[in-house]
Amino acid sequence: MYPFTLTKASDTAEALNAGRRGGRYIAGGTTLVDLMRETVERPETLVDISALPLREVTVTERGGLRIGALVRMAEAAAHAKVRTTYPVISEALELSASAQLRNMATIGGNIMQRTRCTYFRDVTAACNKREPGSGCAARGGFNRTHAILGTSESCVATHPSDVAVAFAALEATVRLLGPDGARSIPFADFLLRPGSTPNREQALRKGELITAVEIPALPRPLKSGYLKVRDRQSYEFALTSAAVALHVHGGVIREAKVAAGGVGTVPWKLPAVENHLIGERPSRALWAEAAKHAADGARPLEHNRFKAELLKRTVERQLRIVGGTK
């Protein structure tokens, strides 16, 4: 680990001032500290923001939810309003990491976490995300866990967050505060596909701070859930996952929100699946037909071709679970 300076911000103004000067924000530190130990990240200044008042889960004026950036993952998962209104969020959080990490990691830090690609974390390997222009060792290496959607010639690394998949499905908004004031950005635009600049991962401006993630109000009743398929049942990242939310009224699907994880360079929204569902009556046949579109546009690599079929099966299974058909 390289030498660095640590400062503790007592209020938002102090944090923003430090961020404007190039300081990196840290709260739980469950990702950044690991990367610093591995010398992947070498920040000169860390700004501890754990004292800022961003720790509440509140109901918005329109009936949605606002989850403060410093709410711990475990706290958000256990919150009564989250569990009853959007269980897909609670389930995604509870299937993430370990209990110890969930007790430390924050919502803001979770969506900011960087890939678990082994080539990214090996400073001797070529990685455009870590060192632009150096190449992508994963493309010709062992790429079983890598992305099949949203990839580019420069990068095929997956985004590791589970709850980000739920946020993508629910069409959340990220609330930001920076030197130029407050702004909001759709979650779909917050995390960036790699393209030719995989080193730029979020649509953040210099010194900006995440203050909250806001979930819009959706029609009730809304059933939702998260399914994660992985090599082992604990402390493992997804091979594929599916976040599904359905509003069924009068026996017809009026709203369908579906996103996938473990397969994309960002949490992957599945509009083709959603469009196939809306206006239809729930049935096993419908789930199967809709799920066929889950891997549309996939570009598998040598070792992860199985993910396309596994993704279709994951989405179909979760549609059956949430849809409640026999």
Side-chain angles (χ1 to χ4, degrees), residues 48-218:
D48 183 352
I49 60 171
S50 57
L52 302 188
L54 304 173
R55 295 187 174 279
E56 293 186 354
V57 178
T58 56
V59 179
T60 65
E61 292 180 359
R62 296 185 177 182
L65 281 183
R66 183 179 292 114
I67 305 175
L70 295 181
V71 175
R72 306 288 184 185
M73 291 172 64
E75 295 170 346
H79 194 280
K81 198 68 177 177
V82 176
R83 296 188 77 86
T84 57
T85 310
Y86 299 110
V88 63
I89 296 176
S90 290
E91 292 175 14
L93 287 167
E94 289 172 345
L95 289 171
S96 302
S98 65
Q100 294 91 335
L101 288 174
R102 293 195 299 271
N103 284 333
M104 283 297 297
T106 63
I107 293 297
N110 182 280
I111 63 174
M112 285 286 292
Q113 68 179 299
R114 306 193 73 183
T115 182
R116 261 54 183 186
C117 172
T118 53
Y119 299 104
F120 167 72
R121 289 172 176 257
D122 177 0
V123 294
T124 67
C127 175
N128 291 315
K129 188 179 287 291
R130 188 186 64 250
E131 186 180 347
S134 63
C136 176
R139 292 195 65 88
F142 185 64
N143 42 47
R144 177 176 179 271
T145 62
H146 287 70
I148 61 173
L149 291 163
T151 60
S152 71
E153 292 300 313
S154 298
C155 184
V156 293
T158 55
H159 192 276
S161 172
D162 289 296
V163 75
V165 182
F167 290 156
L170 297 171
E171 299 170 0
T173 298
V174 182
R175 303 294 183 187
L176 303 169
L177 184 63
D180 298 325
R183 70 183 181 112
S184 301
I185 184 168
F187 196 83
D189 298 328
F190 177 71
L191 297 174
L192 305 178
R193 301 183 192 184
S196 60
T197 56
N199 55 302
R200 187 165 184 260
E201 299 175 354
Q202 302 91 16
L204 285 169
R205 298 170 183 167
K206 185 175 181 179
E208 275 191 322
L209 178 69
I210 300 172
T211 59
V213 176
E214 189 168 303
I215 316 302
L218 292 172

Side-chain angles (χ1 to χ4, degrees), residues 252-267:
V252 174
I253 301 169
R254 309 293 181 178
E255 294 273 359
K257 308 294 183 184
V258 186
V263 292
T265 52
V266 295

Side-chain angles (χ1 to χ4, degrees), residues 2-63:
Y2 286 71
F4 62 93
T5 300
L6 175 66
T7 64
K8 190 174 181 67
S10 57
D11 56 37
T12 304
E14 188 176 346
L16 292 177
N17 188 44
R20 183 168 48 244
R21 297 196 304 268
R24 292 283 303 278
Y25 299 126
I26 187 171
T30 57
T31 294
L32 182 55
V33 172
D34 280 348
L35 293 174
M36 290 171 65
R37 289 193 183 110
E38 295 169 356
T39 69
V40 174
E41 295 265 20
R42 303 178 185 180
E44 294 182 358
T45 303
L46 295 182
V47 184
D48 183 352
I49 60 171
S50 57
L52 302 188
L54 304 173
R55 295 187 174 279
E56 293 186 354
V57 178
T58 56
V59 179
T60 65
E61 292 180 359
R62 296 185 177 182

